[in-house]
Amino acid sequence: MRILVCEDQPDLRRALCRTLEVSGFAVDQAEDGMEALKYGLAEPYDAIVLDLGLPQIDGMSVLHRWRDEGCETPVLILTARSRWSDKLAGFNAGADDYVVKPFEMDEVVLRLRALIRRSAGQASAVLTCGPVQLYTSEGRIVDNGMPVDLTPQEFRIFAYLMHHANRVISRQTLAAHVYDRYSDRESNVIDVLISRIRRKLSINIIHTIRGQGYRLGPPRA
Ligand code: CA
């Protein structure tokens, strides 16, 4: 899972990025509205954090442009203004949720996880495949009741596959949701990560679809 953070205040931006990375996300950052607009259209983020008060192009205009260009990524608005009219304008522009500054970092993480889950069409906060469960709000994996310990990269792949279960996902798509802008993206690394995840699970729920990619689903009979 990969997030774009658009915030011009350096301290807040860094704090958000750090929190999200610790919470298991790959994170890119935009410092102004121009960067935000460009990155948001160029990369397949799972969610975007958007400050409304951005230099160059304000957040609301950026959001309008994303939606006009067909970008459907869920957007969580950060706003210092708590007036309802501002929130309403945000929702009319296509925002999915908002938090009012100052906010708790944990709340941002929680709301982003819920946004990502809902946008993937998952109604339940606990995603299940066979004996394996992903508790989406905590970012916790359990296999037959036992905790599963994945590295951050393994976790991002696994979480993406769980959110998009029973669909064939290409290596390129996985790479785009696992790495930030500055990481090398060798597709064979994805294969290595997948086999490491498989070794940590009691049964195989990640199936190789030859020539296409991977599909997460119940173990084959
Ligand atoms: Ca700002």
Side-chain angles (χ1 to χ4, degrees):
M1 295 295 182
R2 185 174 172 199
I3 307 276
L4 174 63
V5 172
C6 314
E7 166 62 61
D8 57 315
Q9 278 179 279
D11 289 350
L12 181 54
R13 187 177 64 247
R14 277 194 286 269
L16 276 167
C17 292
R18 219 169 18 244
T19 302
L20 292 172
E21 279 162 8
V22 168
S23 306
F25 295 103
V27 185
D28 290 338
Q29 38 184 305
E31 301 179 11
D32 58 52
M34 291 285 278
E35 279 189 354
L37 183 62
K38 190 172 72 178
Y39 295 169
L41 293 176
E43 303 284 343
Y45 295 104
D46 295 290
I48 299 176
V49 179
L50 177 66
D51 177 34
L52 284 187
L54 288 176
Q56 299 202 41
I57 310 175
D58 69 90
M60 198 70 80
S61 304
V62 170
L63 180 54
H64 271 294
R65 289 279 300 278
W66 282 338
R67 295 313 189 219
D68 286 349
E69 302 278 336
C71 164
E72 294 177 346
T73 308
V75 171
L76 174 72
I77 280 180
L78 306 179
T79 174
R81 297 165 286 183
S82 56
R83 297 203 335 262
W84 172 244
S85 58
D86 295 323
K87 290 173 198 162
L88 192 62
F91 282 109
N92 284 339
D96 300 273
D97 201 357
Y98 68 91
V99 290
V100 175
K101 295 178 181 177
F103 49 77
E104 296 288 329
M105 289 290 163
D106 289 348
E107 184 181 0
V108 172
V109 173
L110 217 57
R111 285 178 183 273
L112 282 174
R113 285 175 170 157
L115 277 184
I116 290 169
R117 175 171 60 76
R118 288 198 300 266
S119 82
Q122 304 287 354
S124 167
V126 184
L127 308 183
T128 302
C129 182
V132 183
Q133 292 177 306
L134 171 64
Y135 289 78
T136 58
S137 42
E138 301 141 74
R140 190 163 58 88
I141 305 164
V142 164
D143 183 350
N144 283 309
M146 299 292 287
V148 179
D149 192 21
L150 299 185
T151 67
Q153 288 192 341
E154 292 165 2
F155 178 82
R156 285 177 218 150
I157 288 189
F158 181 76
Y160 189 85
L161 290 171
M162 280 294 268
H163 279 77
H164 302 88
N166 301 310
R167 283 167 33 191
V168 180
I169 309 291
S170 71
R171 287 174 178 78
Q172 293 93 312
T173 299
L174 279 179
H177 289 272
V178 166
Y179 299 126
D180 61 35
R181 297 173 60 81
Y182 301 104
S183 303
D184 286 337
R185 295 188 197 175
E186 293 174 48
S187 51
N188 62 338
V189 174
I190 296 290
D191 297 342
V192 172
L193 292 169
I194 293 274
S195 38
R196 285 188 193 150
I197 299 168
R198 282 176 175 151
R199 282 203 294 272
K200 293 181 180 180
L201 298 177
S202 63
I203 51 156
N204 184 31
I205 55 173
I206 304 176
H207 313 292
T208 303
I209 311 297
R210 193 165 297 165
Q212 297 182 64
Y214 295 100
R215 183 178 57 76
L216 184 144
R220 287 175 176 140

